[in-house]
């Protein structure tokens, strides 16, 4: 059984079939829609570039070929580990021999009524309908989701105010210099960006700040992060802690694995537990969990990917490989941040842990993936003040910027 008709859940189901499981296979999803892609929601769907019909991850005939017991529009409400069964909202109890949890996340919300969130296709369509020229949109949270929506809304002619509690948006994730550069891009496109402000509630007229000020708005998007969908597992006996806690094989308990946004697993490459909310990771982890579920214990493989994510804002492509959070240092190793075309390398301890590119060809940052996977020492990445314009190991260029966190 796979609980969660998501990208992770679907790829897990497909991997189970490819690996030879020819018995019953149940896929449960709380939305009425067949599995669909989520990254386009904040960009192509919200902008109107795509119809919702382009979102499904597979054609109907491809789903049929999997021979699934597909139960959509029905949420899982409980897990009986000892009895190996999942309880559903319709009152049924479905037994399993092996289980993969892929229930994803839900948006954090603020007190008050009337604000939009953006997680489902229905959320995206509802927000798109009100983003008309002149609409006053307040976006609470300047993370990647909030920033993408702000960019699309400006493209649709809305007047956008972006509110962020940190002094520099995304500094915790990509570093202060990169965060400041992205902030300047929004300002250049007419977004009113206010940092170091805390929103306490949604009101009839807009949002209220901690000091009592009300920022007026016609529409509000709350983009302040997500919570793992683990409520249905509260009494299951699984270890929960900002997700379903797993080992390096994605195993949470005997016969139970987790994948995608809901999974917190030990990553052996970086030596830490992490939970990643990126599309690429969801698909890769779904396949890994499925293979390990079917494998003999000694044949299992640790899930140790080099994480990848991307974001598009105002036609500017942002791409990154590795684990950027918790970095100790950032160095621009190719290009020029002032020109919004550069590669930045990230250090934690004495090794390279990530690389981020803005406005560069895809192959530019892809060349750094192996260096991250190999745990390349930092001095080999940047040397004594040298850059690596051709990728790690090429020290003939000049480092253009350096920032300590």
């Amino acid at each position: 059984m796979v609980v969660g008709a998501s990208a992770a859940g679907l790829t897990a189901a497909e991997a189970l079939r490819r690996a030879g499981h020819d018995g019953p296979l149940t896929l449960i999803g709380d939305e009425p829609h067949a599995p669909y892609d989520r990254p386009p929601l904040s960009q192509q769907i919200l902008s109107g570039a795509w119809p919702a019909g382009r979102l499904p991850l597979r054609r109907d005939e491809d789903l049929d070929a999997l021979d699934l017991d597909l139960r959509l529009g029905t949420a899982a409400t409980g897990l009986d580990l000892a009895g190996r069964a999942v309880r559903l909202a319709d009152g049924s109890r479905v037994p399993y021999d092996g289980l993969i949890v892929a229930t994803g996340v839900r948006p954090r919300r603020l007190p008050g009524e009337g604000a939009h969130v953006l997680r489902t296709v229905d959320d995206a369509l509802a927000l798109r309908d009100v983003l008309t020229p002149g609409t006053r949109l307040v976006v609470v949270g300047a993370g990647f989701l909030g920033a993408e929506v702000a960019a699309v809304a400006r493209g649709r002619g809305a007047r956008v105010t972006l509110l962020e509690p940190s002094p520099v948006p995304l500094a915790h994730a990509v570093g202060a210099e990169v965060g400041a550069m992205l902030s300047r891009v929004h300002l250049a496109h007419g977004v009113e960006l206010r940092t170091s402000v805390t929103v306490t509630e949604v009101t009839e007229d807009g949002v209220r700040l901690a000091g009592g000020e009300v920022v007026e708005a016609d529409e509000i998007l709350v983009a302040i992060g997500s919570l793992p969908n683990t409520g249905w597992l509260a009494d299951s006996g699984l270890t929960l802690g900002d997700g379903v806690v797993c080992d390096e094989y994605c195993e949470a308990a005997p016969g139970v694995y987790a994948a995608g946004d809901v999974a917190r697993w030990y990553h052996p490459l970086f030596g830490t537990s992490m939970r990643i909310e990126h599309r690429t990771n969801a698909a890769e982890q779904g396949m890994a969990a499925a293979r390990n579920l079917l494998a003999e214990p000694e044949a299992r493989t640790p899930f140790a990917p080099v994480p990848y994510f991307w974001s598009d804002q105002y036609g500017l492509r942002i791409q990154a490989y590795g684990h950027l959070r918790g970095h100790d240092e950032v160095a621009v190793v190719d290009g020029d941040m002032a020109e919004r075309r550069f590669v930045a390398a990230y250090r934690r301890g004495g090794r390279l842990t990530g690389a981020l590119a803005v406005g560069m060809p895809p192959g530019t940052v892809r060349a750094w993936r192996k260096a991250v996977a190999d745990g390349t020492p930092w001095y080999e990445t940047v040397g004594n003040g040298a850059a690596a314009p051709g990728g790690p190991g090429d020290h003939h260029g000049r480092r253009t910027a350096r920032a300590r966190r």
Side-chain angles (χ1 to χ4, degrees):
M1 180 187 299
V2 179
V3 180
S6 55
L10 176 62
T11 55
E14 291 174 330
L16 288 168
R17 288 302 190 207
R18 285 196 302 270
H21 175 66
D22 58 4
L25 179 54
T26 303
L27 178 61
I28 295 167
D30 61 350
E31 290 187 64
H33 313 289
Y36 62 88
D37 212 9
R38 296 189 191 275
L41 297 180
S42 59
Q43 299 181 60
Q44 291 89 343
I45 297 299
L46 195 60
S47 68
W50 284 14
R54 285 191 62 174
L55 287 175
L57 290 167
R58 301 292 183 270
R59 300 173 300 174
D60 290 344
E61 51 266 40
D62 295 326
L63 287 177
D64 292 342
L66 292 173
D67 190 24
L68 299 172
D69 177 2
L70 185 59
R71 306 193 185 195
L72 299 176
T74 304
T77 58
L79 170 63
D80 179 357
L81 272 182
R84 293 198 171 227
V86 170
R87 297 186 296 274
L88 304 183
D90 62 8
S92 60
R93 178 183 169 93
V94 186
Y96 68 84
D97 297 306
L99 172 66
I100 295 176
V101 177
T103 44
V105 296
R106 65 189 184 280
R108 293 179 182 271
R109 298 177 182 266
L110 286 169
E113 302 293 331
H116 296 267
V117 292
L118 184 51
R119 175 64 184 174
T120 70
V121 60
D122 298 318
D123 294 335
L125 294 175
L127 182 57
R128 187 179 72 182
D129 286 346
V130 299
L131 286 184
T132 56
T135 297
R136 297 175 302 170
L137 174 69
V138 165
V139 179
V140 184
F144 281 110
L145 177 61
E148 289 172 0
V149 171
V152 170
R154 285 298 297 139
R156 292 178 65 89
R159 296 159 54 191
V160 179
T161 300
L162 189 55
L163 304 177
E164 166 62 31
S166 301
V168 179
L170 292 168
H172 66 289
V174 299
E177 283 200 3
V178 177
M181 183 278 298
L182 295 174
S183 298
R184 291 192 293 270
V185 174
H186 284 280
L187 293 171
H189 284 83
V191 172
E192 180 185 356
L193 173 62
R194 297 180 59 178
T195 59
S196 300
V197 295
T198 300
V199 178
T200 59
E201 65 176 329
V202 175
T203 72
E204 292 183 359
D205 302 315
V207 297
R208 190 181 308 281
L209 305 184
E213 176 190 354
V214 173
V215 180
E216 295 185 351
D218 301 313
E219 303 293 338
I220 301 155
L221 173 73
V222 176
I224 55 174
S226 303
L227 296 168
N229 282 324
T230 57
W232 67 285
L233 299 169
D235 300 322
S236 66
L238 292 181
T239 301
L240 306 177
D242 186 37
V244 178
V245 178
C246 306
D247 63 13
E248 65 267 36
Y249 303 106
C250 304
E251 186 179 42
V256 179
Y257 289 71
D261 296 0
V262 75
R264 171 167 289 279
W265 89 104
Y266 178 79
H267 196 307
L269 177 60
F270 300 107
T272 187
S273 176
M274 62 178 64
R275 186 175 64 82
I276 297 178
E277 296 182 19
H278 298 317
R279 170 68 172 79
T280 303
N281 184 77
E284 292 177 349
Q285 196 166 24
M287 292 186 284
R291 289 192 297 265
N292 285 337
L293 173 61
L294 294 183
E296 295 297 326
E298 64 276 6
R300 297 183 303 171
T301 303
F303 182 57
V306 176
Y308 171 74
F309 74 86
W310 77 94
S311 177
D312 290 320
Q313 299 172 31
Y314 307 107
L316 199 64
R317 171 57 63 98
I318 303 161
Q319 305 171 83
Y321 280 104
H323 184 48
L324 278 55
R325 292 176 182 266
H327 58 264
D328 298 317
E329 183 179 355
V330 185
V332 173
V333 293
D334 191 5
D336 190 334
M337 191 178 294
E339 296 177 1
R340 300 172 188 167
R341 287 178 57 83
F342 65 92
V343 177
Y346 291 75
R347 174 182 70 82
R348 186 173 185 181
R351 58 169 287 188
L352 172 74
T353 56
L356 176 143
V358 174
M360 301 289 274
T364 305
V365 69
R366 196 178 300 132
W368 291 79
R369 180 184 182 280
K370 185 175 187 302
V372 174
D374 291 345
T376 303
W378 181 249
Y379 73 88
E380 292 184 15
T381 303
V382 299
N384 294 317
D394 178 2
H395 303 306
H396 301 295
R398 178 175 59 86
R399 184 168 51 188
T400 58
R402 185 167 181 158
R404 291 192 180 274
R405 183 177 160 272

